[in-house]
Protein backbone atom coordinates (compact mmCIF):
# COMPACT_ATOMS: atom_id res chain seq x y z
CA UNK A 1 0.00 0.00 0.00
CA UNK A 2 1.06 3.61 -0.64
CA UNK A 3 -0.53 7.05 -0.44
CA UNK A 4 -2.30 6.51 -3.79
CA UNK A 5 -4.48 3.83 -2.22
CA UNK A 6 -6.32 6.19 0.11
CA UNK A 7 -6.82 8.97 -2.45
CA UNK A 8 -10.26 7.73 -3.68
CA UNK A 9 -11.65 8.36 -0.21
CA UNK A 10 -11.04 12.08 -0.76
CA UNK A 11 -14.11 11.95 -3.01
CA UNK A 12 -16.15 10.65 -0.07
CA UNK A 13 -14.94 13.60 2.01
CA UNK A 14 -16.39 16.23 -0.32
CA UNK A 15 -19.18 14.65 -2.38
CA UNK A 16 -22.44 15.93 -0.93
CA UNK A 17 -23.10 18.89 1.36
CA UNK A 18 -19.43 19.87 1.41
CA UNK A 19 -19.34 20.44 -2.34
CA UNK A 20 -22.74 22.16 -2.24
CA UNK A 21 -21.39 24.61 0.36
CA UNK A 22 -18.35 25.27 -1.82
CA UNK A 23 -20.67 26.03 -4.75
CA UNK A 24 -22.75 28.42 -2.63
CA UNK A 25 -19.65 30.28 -1.48
CA UNK A 26 -18.38 30.56 -5.06
CA UNK A 27 -21.69 32.29 -5.84
CA UNK A 28 -21.66 34.57 -2.77
CA UNK A 29 -21.02 38.32 -2.43
CA UNK A 30 -17.30 37.75 -1.84
CA UNK A 31 -16.72 34.47 -3.67
CA UNK A 32 -12.93 34.36 -3.75
CA UNK A 33 -12.29 35.46 -0.16
CA UNK A 34 -15.10 33.32 1.26
CA UNK A 35 -14.02 30.26 -0.72
CA UNK A 36 -10.40 30.59 0.42
CA UNK A 37 -11.57 30.86 4.02
CA UNK A 38 -13.73 27.76 3.61
CA UNK A 39 -10.86 25.80 2.07
CA UNK A 40 -8.53 26.86 4.89
CA UNK A 41 -10.97 25.70 7.57
CA UNK A 42 -11.60 22.41 5.83
CA UNK A 43 -7.90 21.80 5.22
CA UNK A 44 -7.01 22.41 8.86
CA UNK A 45 -9.65 20.00 10.16
CA UNK A 46 -8.86 17.26 7.65
CA UNK A 47 -5.14 17.54 8.40
CA UNK A 48 -5.78 17.37 12.13
CA UNK A 49 -8.29 14.52 11.79
CA UNK A 50 -6.10 12.14 9.82
CA UNK A 51 -3.01 13.09 11.84
CA UNK A 52 -4.66 12.35 15.20
CA UNK A 53 -5.95 9.00 13.96
CA UNK A 54 -2.55 8.16 12.50
CA UNK A 55 -0.84 8.97 15.79
CA UNK A 56 -3.36 7.07 17.91
CA UNK A 57 -3.10 4.02 15.67
CA UNK A 58 0.69 4.04 15.84
CA UNK A 59 0.59 4.30 19.63
CA UNK A 60 -1.99 1.51 19.87
CA UNK A 61 0.03 -0.62 17.45
CA UNK A 62 3.17 -0.14 19.53
CA UNK A 63 1.39 -1.18 22.72
CA UNK A 64 -0.19 -4.16 20.96
CA UNK A 65 3.19 -5.18 19.53
CA UNK A 66 4.75 -5.14 23.00
CA UNK A 67 1.90 -7.24 24.38
CA UNK A 68 2.15 -9.62 21.44
CA UNK A 69 5.87 -10.17 21.97
CA UNK A 70 5.23 -11.03 25.60
CA UNK A 71 2.47 -13.45 24.58
CA UNK A 72 4.53 -14.94 21.79
CA UNK A 73 2.57 -13.31 18.97
CA UNK A 74 3.89 -10.76 16.54
CA UNK A 75 1.25 -9.59 14.05
CA UNK A 76 -1.14 -6.80 15.07
CA UNK A 77 -2.02 -5.85 11.48
CA UNK A 78 -5.22 -7.90 11.12
CA UNK A 79 -6.75 -6.24 14.19
CA UNK A 80 -6.26 -2.80 12.65
CA UNK A 81 -7.61 -4.03 9.32
CA UNK A 82 -10.75 -5.22 11.08
CA UNK A 83 -11.18 -1.82 12.75
CA UNK A 84 -10.74 -0.07 9.39
CA UNK A 85 -13.23 -2.46 7.80
CA UNK A 86 -15.78 -1.73 10.55
CA UNK A 87 -15.31 2.00 9.94
CA UNK A 88 -15.85 1.53 6.21
CA UNK A 89 -18.98 -0.58 6.69
CA UNK A 90 -20.37 2.05 9.08
CA UNK A 91 -19.53 4.74 6.53
CA UNK A 92 -21.30 2.84 3.74
CA UNK A 93 -24.40 2.40 5.90
CA UNK A 94 -24.56 6.12 6.74
CA UNK A 95 -24.16 7.08 3.08
CA UNK A 96 -26.96 4.65 2.13
CA UNK A 97 -29.33 5.91 4.83
CA UNK A 98 -28.76 9.54 3.84
CA UNK A 99 -28.97 8.94 0.09
CA UNK A 100 -32.56 10.18 -0.36
CA UNK A 101 -32.17 13.45 1.45
CA UNK A 102 -33.36 16.09 -0.99
CA UNK A 103 -32.48 19.74 -1.18
CA UNK A 104 -29.66 21.62 0.54
CA UNK A 105 -29.80 22.39 4.29
CA UNK A 106 -31.78 25.53 5.12
CA UNK A 107 -28.79 27.22 6.74
CA UNK A 108 -27.02 27.40 3.36
CA UNK A 109 -29.08 30.50 2.55
CA UNK A 110 -26.86 32.53 4.89
CA UNK A 111 -23.75 31.70 2.84
CA UNK A 112 -24.58 34.34 0.27
CA UNK A 113 -23.17 37.06 2.54
CA UNK A 114 -20.38 35.06 4.19
CA UNK A 115 -17.10 36.78 5.02
CA UNK A 116 -13.79 34.86 5.06
CA UNK A 117 -13.81 34.35 8.85
CA UNK A 118 -17.34 33.00 8.84
CA UNK A 119 -16.52 30.76 5.88
CA UNK A 120 -13.42 29.44 7.67
CA UNK A 121 -15.49 28.50 10.73
CA UNK A 122 -18.08 26.88 8.48
CA UNK A 123 -15.44 24.81 6.69
CA UNK A 124 -13.97 23.64 9.99
CA UNK A 125 -17.26 22.84 11.70
CA UNK A 126 -18.76 21.12 8.66
CA UNK A 127 -16.01 18.53 8.60
CA UNK A 128 -16.07 18.09 12.38
CA UNK A 129 -19.81 17.45 12.72
CA UNK A 130 -20.31 15.32 9.58
CA UNK A 131 -20.21 11.61 10.52
CA UNK A 132 -19.12 10.47 7.07
CA UNK A 133 -16.10 12.78 7.18
CA UNK A 134 -15.17 11.71 10.70
CA UNK A 135 -15.31 8.03 9.74
CA UNK A 136 -13.38 8.64 6.52
CA UNK A 137 -10.59 10.52 8.30
CA UNK A 138 -10.40 7.75 10.89
CA UNK A 139 -10.20 5.04 8.22
CA UNK A 140 -7.51 6.88 6.26
CA UNK A 141 -5.33 7.67 9.26
CA UNK A 142 -5.63 4.16 10.70
CA UNK A 143 -4.93 2.48 7.37
CA UNK A 144 -1.81 4.54 6.67
CA UNK A 145 -0.50 3.88 10.19
CA UNK A 146 -1.36 0.17 9.94
CA UNK A 147 1.01 -0.15 6.98
CA UNK A 148 3.79 1.67 8.88
CA UNK A 149 3.78 4.51 6.38
CA UNK A 150 5.22 7.90 7.46
CA UNK A 151 2.98 10.87 8.16
CA UNK A 152 3.65 12.57 4.83
CA UNK A 153 1.67 9.85 3.07
CA UNK A 154 -1.41 11.60 4.45
CA UNK A 155 -0.53 14.88 2.73
CA UNK A 156 -1.70 13.91 -0.80
CA UNK A 157 -5.06 12.85 0.65
CA UNK A 158 -5.48 16.23 2.36
CA UNK A 159 -4.38 18.13 -0.74
CA UNK A 160 -6.74 16.21 -3.03
CA UNK A 161 -9.63 16.81 -0.61
CA UNK A 162 -8.96 20.55 -0.66
CA UNK A 163 -8.50 20.53 -4.44
CA UNK A 164 -11.88 18.85 -4.96
CA UNK A 165 -13.48 21.42 -2.68
CA UNK A 166 -11.77 24.14 -4.70
CA UNK A 167 -13.38 23.09 -8.00
CA UNK A 168 -16.20 25.67 -7.75
CA UNK A 169 -13.66 28.43 -7.05
CA UNK A 170 -11.49 27.25 -9.95
CA UNK A 171 -14.55 27.27 -12.21
CA UNK A 172 -15.28 30.84 -11.15
CA UNK A 173 -11.70 31.97 -11.74
CA UNK A 174 -11.34 30.24 -15.09
CA UNK A 175 -14.82 30.82 -16.54
CA UNK A 176 -15.83 34.13 -15.01
CA UNK A 177 -19.42 35.01 -15.85
CA UNK A 178 -19.91 31.65 -17.57
CA UNK A 179 -19.26 29.81 -14.31
CA UNK A 180 -22.89 30.04 -13.14
CA UNK A 181 -24.02 27.17 -15.32
CA UNK A 182 -21.09 24.97 -14.29
CA UNK A 183 -21.68 25.72 -10.61
CA UNK A 184 -25.36 24.85 -10.96
CA UNK A 185 -24.45 21.49 -12.49
CA UNK A 186 -21.93 20.79 -9.72
CA UNK A 187 -24.57 21.49 -7.12
CA UNK A 188 -27.15 19.31 -8.86
CA UNK A 189 -24.71 16.43 -9.18
CA UNK A 190 -23.66 16.66 -5.54
CA UNK A 191 -27.27 16.69 -4.35
CA UNK A 192 -28.49 13.82 -6.52
CA UNK A 193 -25.69 11.44 -7.41
CA UNK A 194 -22.80 11.90 -4.97
CA UNK A 195 -23.90 8.99 -2.78
CA UNK A 196 -23.39 6.51 -5.63
CA UNK A 197 -19.78 7.58 -6.17
CA UNK A 198 -19.24 7.53 -2.41
CA UNK A 199 -20.43 3.93 -2.14
CA UNK A 200 -18.16 2.88 -5.02
CA UNK A 201 -15.10 4.52 -3.42
CA UNK A 202 -15.90 2.96 -0.04
CA UNK A 203 -16.37 -0.47 -1.63
CA UNK A 204 -13.02 -0.14 -3.43
CA UNK A 205 -11.15 0.69 -0.24
CA UNK A 206 -13.02 -2.01 1.69
CA UNK A 207 -11.91 -4.56 -0.93
CA UNK A 208 -8.28 -3.53 -0.46
CA UNK A 209 -8.68 -3.90 3.29
CA UNK A 210 -10.19 -7.38 2.91
CA UNK A 211 -7.26 -8.36 0.68
CA UNK A 212 -4.88 -7.19 3.40
CA UNK A 213 -6.75 -9.37 5.88
CA UNK A 214 -6.53 -12.39 3.58
CA UNK A 215 -2.80 -11.89 3.04
CA UNK A 216 -2.27 -11.57 6.79
CA UNK A 217 -4.27 -14.71 7.52
Amino acid sequence: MNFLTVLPLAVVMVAGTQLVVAVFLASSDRPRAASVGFLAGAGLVVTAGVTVTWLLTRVASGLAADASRIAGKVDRGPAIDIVVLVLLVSLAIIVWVRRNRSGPPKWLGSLGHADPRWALRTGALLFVVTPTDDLTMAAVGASVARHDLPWWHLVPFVLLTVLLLALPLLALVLLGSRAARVLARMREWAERHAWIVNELMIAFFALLTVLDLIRSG
Side-chain angles (χ1 to χ4, degrees), residues 51-65 76 80 141-142 144-151 154:
T51 299
V52 168
T53 308
W54 180 82
L55 286 171
L56 291 176
T57 304
R58 286 180 65 89
V59 170
S61 296
L63 294 175
R76 84 283 186 188
I80 300 177
V144 170
R146 176 262 185 271
H147 290 86
D148 294 322
L149 298 176
W151 175 85
L154 297 169

Side-chain angles (χ1 to χ4, degrees), residues 20-21 23-30 34 104-123 187:
V20 173
V21 171
V23 169
F24 267 81
L25 289 173
S27 307
S28 64
D29 295 340
R30 303 172 62 184
K106 295 179 180 179
W107 58 266
L108 288 185
S110 59
L111 294 178
H113 307 290
D115 59 32
R117 184 176 299 179
W118 196 93
L120 186 149
R121 290 197 299 267
T122 300
R187 174 180 165 180

